[in-house]
Amino acid sequence: MAAPPFYVQPMLRFILTRVSLIIPTFLGITLLAFFLIRLVPGDPIETLAGERGIDPARHEQLRKEYGFDQPILVQYGIYLSRVLQGDLGKSMITQEPVITEFAALFPATIELALCAILFALILGLPAGIIAAIKRNSIFDHGVMGISLAGYSMPIFWWGLILILLFSVQFDLTPVSGRIDVLYYIEPITGFLLIDTLLSDEPEAFWSAVRHLILPTIVLGTVPLAVIARMTRSAMLEVLGEDYIRTAKAKGLSRFRIVALHALRNALIPVVTVIGLQIGVLFTGAILTETIFSWPGVGKWLIDAIFRRDYPVLQGGALLLGVVVMSVNLLVDLAYGLINPRIRHTR
Amino acid sequence: MTTETMEAPAVAAPTATPPHPLREFWGYFSANHGAVAGLVIIVAVVLVALLADVIAPHDPNATDTALALKPPFWQEGGSIAYPLGTDPIGRDILSRLIHGARLSLLIGIAVVALSIIIGTVLGLVAGFFRGLTEIFIMRLMDIILTLPSLLLAIVIVAVLGPGLMNAMLAVALVILPHYVRLARAAVITETSKDYVTAARVSGAGTTRLMFREVLPNCTAPLIVQASLGISTAILDAAALGFLGLGAQPPSPEWGTMLADAREFVLRAWWVVTFPGLAILITVLAFNLLGDGLRDALDPKLKR
């Protein structure tokens, strides 16, 4: 039997190692979610079933149904097998399966998050690059100052200030929601920007765009600051390398040096940072969605807290955790594919 | 607080080169204008917090509906007695901000102190004992890091019940992994050095090695992370307050003040503007300080 090509084995080993590393993390998240409900003060059955002061017979029946009469490890086993089958319980308020509600609301969060990261990239990359090229200029100091402020920004306040400016003062943008109430858009992809284009109402698309502007800015502010700072420092490092000096000595144009030689290498750490921003984005989404009444999973979770809808809180947190974990894994794998130095360590 | 920031270089001194470590540190630190500005703001906030009872013009909780929603003094209808205006139930916003400075600093320092103590011990243990203990601790920290920080804090507070104490505990837990990782990494580098071997050969026990020999040499990165941690703690605690999960009204915590005033945003810009500005400036100052400390303490960056 012929030996596999020399590059296959480390690659395969790299993928298998990374994938196997998420198993303990996944188990850890399920354990957290499992014990969460048991930490809530009061009777866990009343907590889970949402029925208060129920009679002893019904209580006993529910105890069996939820498996509370079993040893704790068995209970966890039952919970884990349910989770793996996609059964995360039902919302106490709507009686809908948690996973169905999550799936219905998640596209709104994704749409917002994608727009935010796009906004951050479109502004952050050029700002960082120019700041690095014109090091110590007024522009550089300005970009660094603004990005430090952006990094320190309480975004829940930033949202209110933008509403004050653009909605109240200039009446340019709507205050809340995803689209004007007068439009009804059949969800096809769940992304309103696409669904409105597919519908026969062109006006609806612009309504959706106007609703997206402020939440996008608010959610994109912290990633924008991080990306600008990271791009600048990565560019500065690369611009000091020998091969850049060589390129300069060869008489290449400044644009060619920056765009073709420097940027390509400077982008590697930037890509990692963007991957790491996913967690930050979901955190920000919780606050942004609350401010703008954006019907996504973040607002859904916060509402669940105040309604004491514990199954939603438990299942929603678990699902968000799994999403972030999976995205991190994908970024990790993609990074290993691009950069051979990484897959050969360990 | 002031003394803590000022004494920082003294603790970090052993990592710098011999002659005048403290002076050398100050030389690097003061060259960074941003960091000095951050330090000045922090000292000012600390003074305001300490002297809150003296300098606040009014009782932060005194309500007077006749004075509700008075604008700041430079706007029509405002008066110099209430320089930044009043909130929907007539409390003086400036006085509330001044008293809120106490809470925010307290939150930042208490959270980071708790996190740094537990985190350093866990990191030292992981770095010293390696093996299963290390795997267990570090995996646990990885899980905490995987979850979006505020989501985890929200879930913890939702379970334990809203309130300032629970919010602080939640934030302390969320920032814990950074200290554990730093301490562990520092311990692993330090234990391979000769002075540790020398101490071990001369009969020092593990506890002595951990706390007397190795720990003082790992403080520089911990100090930097502590400064940045305070800004995260203040920001996250304010976010929890804003969501109604942190300090509860009528507490003058800045995030809670924002949540309280949110519905009046369309009628009275000042009730939301000033508390947020206070958060932004304080957090910015700690970030500036952290950046400056890192540049001054990190030997790799020294030219």
Side-chain angles (χ1 to χ4, degrees), chain A residues 112-343:
Chain A
L112 177 57
L114 282 179
C115 287
I117 201 84
L118 212 64
F119 163 80
L121 279 174
I122 289 172
L123 286 180
L125 280 181
I129 293 168
I130 298 173
I133 297 172
K134 298 186 182 290
R135 190 181 186 182
N136 287 329
S137 67
I138 297 174
F139 183 85
D140 183 21
H141 290 306
V143 166
M144 285 303 97
I146 293 172
S147 74
L148 195 67
Y151 188 70
S152 313
M153 188 64 81
I155 63 165
F156 43 95
W157 172 71
W158 185 222
L160 293 176
I161 292 299
L162 289 178
I163 288 178
L164 257 177
L165 270 180
F166 291 100
S167 306
V168 181
Q169 208 72 20
F170 301 119
D171 201 19
L172 288 175
T173 48
V175 177
S176 67
R178 270 181 104 186
I179 194 162
D180 280 338
V181 279
L182 55 113
Y183 301 108
Y184 174 74
I185 303 297
E186 192 68 42
I188 302 166
T189 59
F191 297 103
L192 261 184
L193 288 184
I194 299 174
D195 287 350
T196 48
L197 280 181
L198 294 176
S199 75
D200 43 9
E201 291 181 278
E203 281 301 305
F205 174 73
W206 294 110
S207 171
V209 169
R210 274 203 312 280
H211 281 80
L212 249 171
I213 295 173
L214 288 190
T216 297
I217 297 175
V218 168
L219 188 53
T221 298
V222 175
L224 167 62
V226 174
I227 288 172
R229 268 168 77 115
M230 193 65 213
T231 309
R232 176 182 177 271
S233 67
M235 271 307 266
L236 281 179
E237 200 158 301
V238 171
L239 286 174
E241 297 277 345
D242 285 344
Y243 66 85
I244 297 293
R245 202 166 357 137
T246 311
K248 269 186 200 153
K250 270 169 40 185
L252 295 184
S253 74
R254 210 183 152 94
F255 176 80
R256 229 186 128 78
I257 293 173
V258 171
L260 288 179
H261 293 249
L263 192 57
R264 236 196 253 176
N265 284 302
L267 278 182
I268 295 176
V270 176
V271 170
T272 321
V273 166
I274 296 169
L276 291 176
Q277 287 300 304
I278 304 295
V280 177
L281 271 181
F282 280 116
T283 298
I286 296 173
L287 291 166
T288 312
E289 290 178 3
T290 308
I291 300 168
F292 293 99
S293 304
W294 188 265
V297 289
K299 186 174 179 303
W300 174 62
L301 272 181
I302 295 295
D303 289 346
I305 292 176
F306 289 106
R307 292 174 187 156
R308 304 193 171 278
D309 195 343
Y310 288 105
V312 166
L313 184 62
Q314 184 189 33
L318 176 72
L319 285 170
L320 265 188
V322 169
V323 167
V324 174
M325 186 183 79
S326 316
V327 175
N328 285 343
L329 175 70
L330 287 179
V331 172
D332 231 19
L333 290 180
Y335 200 47
L337 285 176
I338 303 167
N339 191 342
R341 274 173 293 189
I342 300 223
R343 65 172 181 262

Side-chain angles (χ1 to χ4, degrees), chain B residues 36-218:
Chain B
V36 176
L39 186 63
V40 170
I41 297 173
I42 291 168
V43 170
V45 175
V46 170
L47 286 178
V48 164
L50 287 177
L51 300 173
D53 289 326
V54 185
I55 55 175
H58 302 272
D59 177 350
N61 291 319
T63 63
D64 184 351
T65 38
L67 291 168
L69 292 179
K70 262 175 113 61
F73 71 91
W74 61 86
Q75 275 201 339
E76 209 184 318
S79 87
I80 197 76
Y82 299 91
L84 297 182
T86 60
D87 72 359
I89 50 174
R91 292 173 294 195
D92 179 41
I93 290 183
L94 180 65
S95 305
R96 290 180 68 70
L97 289 180
I98 289 173
H99 281 269
R102 271 189 182 175
L103 276 174
S104 281
L105 285 180
L106 189 79
I107 291 168
I109 293 165
V111 164
V112 169
L114 183 66
S115 209
I116 227 172
I117 292 170
I118 299 174
T120 310
V121 172
L122 283 177
L124 283 172
V125 168
F128 257 96
F129 296 110
R130 312 303 292 266
L132 266 180
T133 328
E134 183 189 25
I135 293 175
F136 178 74
I137 294 177
M138 297 322 287
R139 280 282 102 192
L140 199 65
M141 293 304 126
D142 283 351
I143 293 168
I144 299 179
L145 273 182
T146 300
L147 293 167
S149 64
L150 192 65
L151 173 68
L152 185 58
I154 286 173
V155 168
I156 294 169
V157 176
V159 168
L160 297 179
L164 187 56
M165 273 318 271
N166 290 341
M168 282 163 67
L169 277 179
V171 177
L173 182 75
V174 164
I175 61 174
L176 186 64
H178 299 287
Y179 302 106
V180 179
R181 285 187 155 193
L182 272 179
R184 171 181 162 272
V187 166
I188 289 173
T189 344
E190 290 298 318
T191 39
S192 62
K193 290 188 180 162
D194 288 343
Y195 76 93
V196 179
T197 319
R200 185 170 281 150
V201 168
S202 54
T206 310
T207 324
R208 190 190 160 86
L209 275 180
M210 277 195 330
F211 292 100
R212 295 297 297 269
E213 307 291 338
V214 172
L215 183 58
N217 289 309
C218 314

